[in-house]
């Protein structure tokens, strides 16, 4: 392919301006309208309405047959959604790249990739099939208004479209569209599914196309790595300006990747790949932590794991920086409450300095929008606040000194809290309060008052409050029995000297250590926060981290590992109070910027399974390493290592496998699924689902479909129209139906139609019925086999 892969100034556009700028892009098919919107449609001479707005150059598929949507397919398919579900997400803004590097050609069996057994030269191999291969947002023309952009053209045999938009320094604008063809006189085109399931036997179509004026007779050879192929070599005769379709039988054994290479004599060869999925029930074990030191974990793999299904996946992400980013992205979408609003306001105010300290730059517009929303919510809550509400809101308001409204609000709230301190030094309290809750509330008040020390009056007020609060902690020190209260008094309050030493000892003694080396602070029964709610272990552990800062005896790295492992992007550590404390703890542990590169490895019983390099510039978010892990049954020791060790990097290690499905019934559910006895390619066939369940339960039915089986959207829409189904979702080889509520004792029976597109013996995955959020109410059926002719 090298002889036809490079183009340098071969396509003239005629849109350059002298010393002006040109934006050029190359994408595939109908992607121009989808990416550029009305501007591209107008330039292309199309009256069709745009689907999206952004983009550049495209391919017009020339095939007579449509592929089934594999990663290397010509025509991409997206998941369909019914019942009012959203469509495909818009393409995100891309970095100004973009010549994509062609991947190395996959290694095939001996003699498959380089030469025939007879020694003939192998066909040039096509293996690079990106949808978009060029996006140049700024090409500066020379004094004659010309510019040359050398590019490598992908291996797709299609019609490419080039869009260029230009402007001069004076602001004049223009644009043009041109196209060129990438084709061969004769070529081979295997039509692959996006996946197969272990045990499938399918007849894959392989199309051979002849664009010349003479009939062609050549040898067709199909080699497969990762599966078995039958009758993969034959001679084909293709008429002039015609095509033929040959069927090749492929048998999928165990789960794993499959690479298929189809060659047509010495004229063309194409390499495509897809995955074989396990048919069993997925079982996943996950461990996490920080890479402050090598982490040794004990994982027990299932003894009955299906062949090829055992895999290990490591994700490495920037601890503090990743959390700050995730919190900024998610905090506005969380449920509205006082603690959450106060945390959002605090985060918006502190984010610029936090990001700067971690080597990142803040987005002023995004922070401004977050601040506006959080301010509106906080002002509503601050009209007549209680002392407890004032302690939540004051610090967030004070984090915005440039906002006079918030600055005055913060000062007023701090003054209110300071005035609420009793003569004995306690703050808040009321009927039914325990001493433990009163001490925690007093510590929270002390933190709030110390947050406003920017003026001499504020410093004097904080000093007076601290002295009285310290007396409270000293008097009641013998009654502080639990680790959480001791941690709060240290992290939030004003404990000093011998009192602080005694509290640290109690926190350390209360810590628990897991088998993976992580440590956490459990919460004793009847222990509550100032608001009367029981704190989570994540909040307690974060408090322990803050309380034990500077303590040489404290296992801070182990606490940080546990804290990172229990962070969930989008949700954080829990409510606003837990997230405020958790982020403070993460920043205290992982405040140092990350090194430029970190080598990360995963080993099982001392043998490296996978390794890679975390590059803080190239991988701003996460490094993902995945590898097959056969032989993981039973107990094994896994080690995750970073060189150099970096406390600011978190990791999540997952060991997954598939075990045989078993029928399961819980909570009185009944499920029966009747598939086709014998289906035919290209013909619609019915699938019947029968459900029995207690009344008024919201039910969700899920069926994993065989490879190449598509659901008929019209039949699903009919179910929604009849009221039997409230919504449906089809994606990734699976169908989900949300069933409408039923009357007492009323049976449920729904039917939908499917369209097989592959012939063979195909495995359908498991069928499941359940109640969302209720794992104790479920029913499942093991996989079945479909015969498709």
């Amino acid at each position: 392919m090298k002889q036809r892969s490079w183009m340098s100034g071969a396509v003239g556009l005629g849109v350059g301006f002298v010393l002006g700028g040109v934006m050029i892009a190359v994408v595939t098919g109908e992607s121009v309208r989808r990416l550029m919107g009305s501007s591209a449609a107008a330039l292309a001479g199309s009256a069709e309405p745009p689907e999206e707005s952004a983009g550049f150059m495209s391919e017009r598929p020339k095939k007579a047959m449509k592929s089934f949507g594999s990663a290397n397919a010509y025509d991409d398919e997206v998941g369909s959604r019914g019942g009012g579900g959203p469509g495909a997400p818009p393409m995100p803004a891309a970095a100004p790249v973009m010549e994509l590097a062609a991947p190395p050609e996959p290694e095939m069996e001996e003699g498959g990739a380089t030469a025939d057994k007879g020694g003939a030269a192998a066909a040039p191999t096509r293996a690079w099939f990106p949808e978009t291969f060029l996006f140049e947002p700024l090409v500066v023309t020379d004094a004659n208004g010309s510019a040359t952009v050398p590019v490598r053209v992908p291996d797709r045999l299609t019609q490419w479209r080039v869009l260029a938009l230009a402007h001069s320094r004076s602001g004049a604008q223009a644009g043009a569209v041109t196209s060129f063809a990438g084709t061969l006189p004769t070529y081979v085109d295997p039509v692959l599914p996006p996946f197969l399931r272990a045990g499938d036997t399918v007849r894959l179509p392989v199309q051979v196309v002849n664009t010349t004026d003479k009939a062609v007779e050549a040898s067709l050879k199909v080699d497969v790595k990762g599966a078995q192929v039958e009758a993969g070599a034959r001679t084909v005769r293709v008429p002039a300006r015609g095509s033929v379709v040959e069927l090749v039988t492929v048998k999928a054994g165990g789960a794993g990747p499959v690479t298929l290479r189809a060659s047509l004599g010495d004229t063309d060869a194409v390499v495509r790949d897809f995955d074989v999925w396990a048919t069993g029930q997925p079982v996943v074990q996950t461990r996490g932590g920080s890479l402050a030191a090598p982490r040794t974990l004990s994982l027990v793999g299932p003894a009955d794991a299906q062949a090829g299904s055992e895999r290990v996946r490591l994700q490495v992400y920037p601890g503090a920086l990743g959390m700050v980013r995730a919190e900024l992205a998610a905090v506005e979408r969380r449920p509205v409450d006082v603690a959450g609003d106060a945390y959002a306001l605090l985060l918006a105010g502190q984010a610029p300095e936090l990001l700067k300290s971690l080597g990142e730059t803040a987005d002023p517009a995004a922070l401004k929008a977050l601040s506006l929303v959080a301010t509106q919510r906080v002002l509503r809550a601050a009209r007549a606040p209680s002392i407890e509400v004032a302690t939540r809101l004051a610090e967030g308001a004070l984090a915005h000194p440039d906002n006079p409204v918030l600055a005055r609000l913060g000062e007023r709230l701090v003054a209110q809290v300071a005035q609420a301190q009793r003569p004995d030094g306690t703050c808040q309290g009321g009927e039914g309060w325990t001493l433990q809750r009163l001490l925690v509330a007093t510590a929270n008040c002390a933190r709030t008052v110390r947050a406003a020390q920017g003026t001499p009056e504020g410093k004097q007020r904080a000093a007076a409050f601290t002295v009285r609060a310290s007396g409270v902690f000293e008097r009641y020190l013998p009654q502080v029995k639990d680790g959480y209260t001791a941690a709060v008094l240290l992290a939030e309050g004003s404990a000093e000297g011998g009192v602080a030493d005694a509290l640290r000892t109690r926190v350390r003694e209360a810590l628990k250590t897991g088998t993976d080396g992580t440590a956490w602070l459990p919460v004793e029964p009847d222990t509550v926060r100032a608001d009367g709610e029981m704190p989570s272990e994540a909040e307690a552990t974060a408090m322990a981290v803050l309380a034990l800062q500077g303590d040489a005896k404290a296992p801070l790295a182990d606490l940080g590992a546990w804290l990172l492992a229990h962070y969930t992007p989008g949700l954080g550590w829990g409510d606003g109070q837990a997230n405020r404390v958790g982020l403070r703890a993460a920043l205290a542990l992982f405040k140092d910027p990350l090194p430029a590169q970190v080598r990360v490895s995963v080993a099982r019983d001392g043998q490296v399974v996978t390794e890679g390099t975390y590059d803080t510039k190239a991988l701003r978010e996460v490094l993902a390493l995945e590898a097959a892990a056969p032989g993981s049954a039973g107990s094994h020791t896994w080690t995750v290592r970073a060189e150099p060790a970096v406390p600011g990097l978190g990791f999540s290690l997952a060991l997954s496998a598939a075990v045989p499905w078993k029928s399961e019934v819980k909570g009185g559910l009944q499920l029966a699924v009747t598939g086709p006895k014998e289906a035919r390619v290209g013909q619609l066939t019915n699938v019947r689902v029968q459900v029995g369940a207690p009344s008024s339960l919201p039910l969700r039915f899920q069926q994993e479909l065989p490879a190449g089986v598509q659901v008929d959207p019209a039949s699903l829409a009919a179910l929604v129209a009849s009221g039997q189904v409230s919504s449906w979702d089809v994606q990734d080889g699976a169908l989900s139906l949300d069933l409408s509520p039923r009357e007492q004792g009323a049976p449920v029976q729904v039917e939908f139609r499917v369209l097989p597109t592959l012939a063979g013996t195909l495995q359908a995955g498991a069928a499941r019925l359940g109640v969302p959020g209720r794992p104790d109410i479920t029913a499942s059926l093991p996989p079945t086999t479909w015969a498709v002719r």
Side-chain angles (χ1 to χ4, degrees):
M1 276 301 294
K2 290 184 179 180
Q3 67 270 24
R4 63 174 182 268
S5 292
W6 291 91
M7 176 187 71
S8 179
V11 181
L13 299 179
V15 297
F17 287 100
V18 176
L19 299 180
V22 184
M23 178 179 69
I24 305 176
V26 187
V27 288
T28 60
E30 293 301 315
S31 301
V32 170
R33 298 186 192 88
R34 190 167 63 245
L35 293 173
M36 278 303 290
S38 57
S39 298
L43 287 170
S46 171
E48 297 180 16
E51 298 179 17
E52 300 288 348
S53 61
F56 312 100
M57 167 173 176
S58 66
E59 158 208 19
R60 295 190 183 120
K62 299 175 64 177
K63 305 188 285 70
M65 299 182 65
K66 184 176 181 181
S67 70
F68 296 103
S70 69
N72 285 328
Y74 287 101
D75 301 302
D76 287 344
E77 293 180 348
V78 297
S80 302
R81 184 179 293 272
M91 177 178 288
V97 207
M98 292 248 170
E99 184 185 339
L100 304 179
E105 294 180 4
E107 296 181 3
M108 301 300 297
E109 300 297 334
E110 182 178 355
T114 58
D116 294 334
K117 292 183 178 181
T125 301
R126 297 182 290 116
W128 185 44
F129 305 101
E131 286 290 327
T132 302
F133 73 90
L134 176 66
F135 171 48
E136 288 285 349
L138 180 58
V139 178
V140 180
T141 59
D142 59 19
N144 298 318
S146 301
T148 299
V149 180
V151 298
R152 180 174 183 178
V153 178
D155 294 331
R156 289 180 180 272
L157 304 182
T158 185
Q159 187 78 13
W160 292 94
R161 187 179 300 170
V162 185
L163 168 67
L165 302 176
H167 67 87
S168 69
R169 288 184 176 180
S170 63
Q173 299 182 10
V177 173
T178 191
S179 62
F180 63 92
T183 187
L184 290 172
T186 56
Y187 60 88
V188 61
D189 183 15
V191 183
L192 305 183
F195 68 90
L196 292 177
R197 284 194 163 88
D200 283 352
T201 299
V202 296
R203 302 181 71 192
L204 295 179
V206 180
Q207 185 182 27
V208 182
V209 180
N210 178 14
T211 66
T212 69
D213 294 326
K214 296 182 179 180
V216 171
E217 184 172 312
S219 62
L220 173 65
K221 185 177 181 182
V222 177
D223 296 306
V224 179
K225 183 178 181 180
Q228 296 180 351
V229 60
E230 294 181 357
R234 67 193 69 176
T235 299
V236 295
R237 180 178 176 83
V238 189
R241 300 290 176 180
S243 65
V244 297
V245 175
E246 298 289 327
L247 297 176
V248 176
T249 301
V250 173
K251 294 183 177 180
V258 172
T259 300
L260 181 145
R261 184 179 190 272
S263 59
L264 182 65
D266 59 357
T267 61
D268 185 34
V270 61
V271 172
R272 297 292 184 89
D273 47 58
F274 58 90
D275 289 326
V276 174
W277 294 356
T279 58
Q281 182 176 8
V283 177
V284 182
Q285 300 178 67
T286 304
R287 300 286 188 273
S290 80
L291 294 176
R295 290 288 166 188
T296 300
L297 316 167
S298 179
L299 298 176
V300 180
D304 54 349
Q306 294 181 341
S309 68
E310 296 168 294
R311 301 191 68 82
V312 63
R313 179 178 176 83
L314 176 72
Q315 290 182 297
V316 179
Y317 48 89
L321 179 58
M323 290 176 186
V324 171
R325 287 189 189 134
E327 290 299 285
L328 286 171
V331 67
E332 188 178 345
R333 301 192 300 271
R334 289 175 181 156
V336 177
D337 58 37
V338 173
D341 295 340
Y343 170 63
L345 189 63
L346 177 65
L347 183 60
Q350 294 182 343
E353 288 299 320
L354 294 178
L355 292 172
K356 182 179 179 181
S357 67
L358 297 169
E360 186 62 279
T361 302
D363 182 351
L367 291 181
K368 182 179 180 180
L370 176 60
S371 298
L372 289 174
V373 173
T375 298
Q376 293 171 356
R377 295 174 178 174
V378 165
L379 289 177
R380 286 196 298 267
R383 291 173 181 172
S386 63
I387 300 301
E388 189 237 322
V389 170
T391 61
R392 293 182 182 274
L393 300 182
E395 194 173 3
L398 292 170
H400 298 264
D402 297 333
N403 185 320
V405 175
L406 290 177
R408 288 194 297 269
L409 173 63
E411 178 62 31
R412 175 169 63 84
L413 294 174
V414 169
Q416 179 184 357
V417 173
Q419 292 171 3
Q421 190 177 32
R422 297 185 178 86
D424 66 352
T426 60
C427 183
Q428 300 190 61
E431 184 178 353
W433 281 51
T434 62
L435 175 62
Q436 180 267 328
R437 182 181 177 185
L438 180 63
L439 292 176
V440 170
T442 301
N444 289 345
C445 290
R447 185 202 76 248
T448 300
V449 175
R450 290 199 309 274
Q453 301 187 63
T455 63
E457 180 184 355
K459 291 181 180 179
Q460 183 178 3
R461 179 178 56 203
F465 195 103
T466 298
V467 169
R468 290 192 290 269
S470 298
V472 175
F473 304 150
E474 185 174 359
R475 288 197 306 273
Y476 293 108
L477 178 62
Q479 280 73 43
V480 180
K481 303 295 186 181
D482 68 286
Y484 171 74
T485 304
V488 172
L489 300 189
L490 278 169
E492 306 270 81
S494 313
E496 298 177 348
V499 175
D501 292 338
L503 292 173
R504 288 191 191 94
T505 300
R506 290 177 192 179
V507 174
R508 291 197 304 267
E509 291 175 349
L511 298 177
K512 299 293 184 182
T513 302
T515 56
D516 58 354
T518 60
W520 73 97
L521 180 62
V523 179
E524 299 293 335
D526 301 324
T527 300
V528 296
R529 308 184 306 196
D531 59 1
E533 298 293 330
M534 184 176 182
S536 65
E537 288 188 338
E539 181 181 344
T541 303
M543 279 292 186
V545 170
L546 296 172
L548 298 177
Q549 288 297 300
D551 188 344
K553 299 179 182 179
L556 291 176
D558 298 336
L559 291 169
W562 192 95
L563 199 61
L564 280 179
H566 288 76
Y567 176 79
T568 303
L571 299 176
W573 288 278
D575 62 8
Q577 168 74 2
N579 286 329
R580 178 185 67 82
V581 179
L583 189 61
R584 283 178 58 200
L587 293 168
L589 286 169
F590 314 129
K591 56 182 176 294
D592 296 329
L594 300 176
Q597 287 189 337
V598 182
R599 190 69 180 171
V600 182
S601 63
V602 179
R604 184 185 65 192
D605 299 332
Q607 299 295 319
V608 174
V609 176
T610 182
E611 58 184 351
T613 299
Y614 187 91
D615 188 321
T616 57
K617 293 183 179 179
L619 303 173
R620 301 298 294 175
E621 298 297 338
V622 67
L623 167 70
L625 302 174
E626 186 169 352
S632 294
S635 179
H636 294 272
T637 298
W638 296 82
T639 303
V640 183
R641 184 186 307 272
E643 298 176 352
V646 184
L649 282 179
F651 77 89
S652 175
L653 181 70
L655 177 65
S656 62
V659 299
W661 276 94
K662 299 178 181 178
S663 297
E664 182 180 28
V665 176
K666 294 181 182 178
L669 297 187
Q670 296 178 343
L671 175 64
V673 179
T674 305
K677 294 182 178 180
E678 183 176 291
R680 293 189 175 276
V681 172
Q683 295 183 9
L684 290 169
T685 186
N686 290 341
V687 176
R688 180 183 300 112
V689 181
Q690 294 174 295
V691 171
S695 63
S696 303
L697 285 179
L699 296 177
R700 177 167 295 167
F701 168 75
Q702 295 174 300
Q703 174 69 65
E704 297 176 3
L705 301 170
V709 171
Q710 301 175 0
V711 181
D712 175 35
S715 65
L716 299 179
L719 292 177
V720 174
S722 67
Q724 294 177 280
V725 171
S726 58
S727 65
W728 54 271
D729 185 18
V730 179
Q731 57 183 0
D732 296 335
L735 166 67
S736 295
L737 299 177
D738 289 323
L739 304 179
S740 302
R742 299 147 317 287
E743 297 180 359
Q744 181 69 34
V748 176
Q749 178 173 304
V750 298
E751 287 192 12
F752 58 91
R753 293 181 298 180
V754 296
L755 181 69
T757 58
L758 281 177
T761 304
L762 305 172
Q763 311 297 313
R768 296 182 293 277
L769 180 69
V771 177
R774 293 291 304 274
D776 57 317
I777 304 179
T778 184
S780 63
L781 298 175
T784 57
T785 301
W786 290 24
V788 182
R789 307 303 178 198

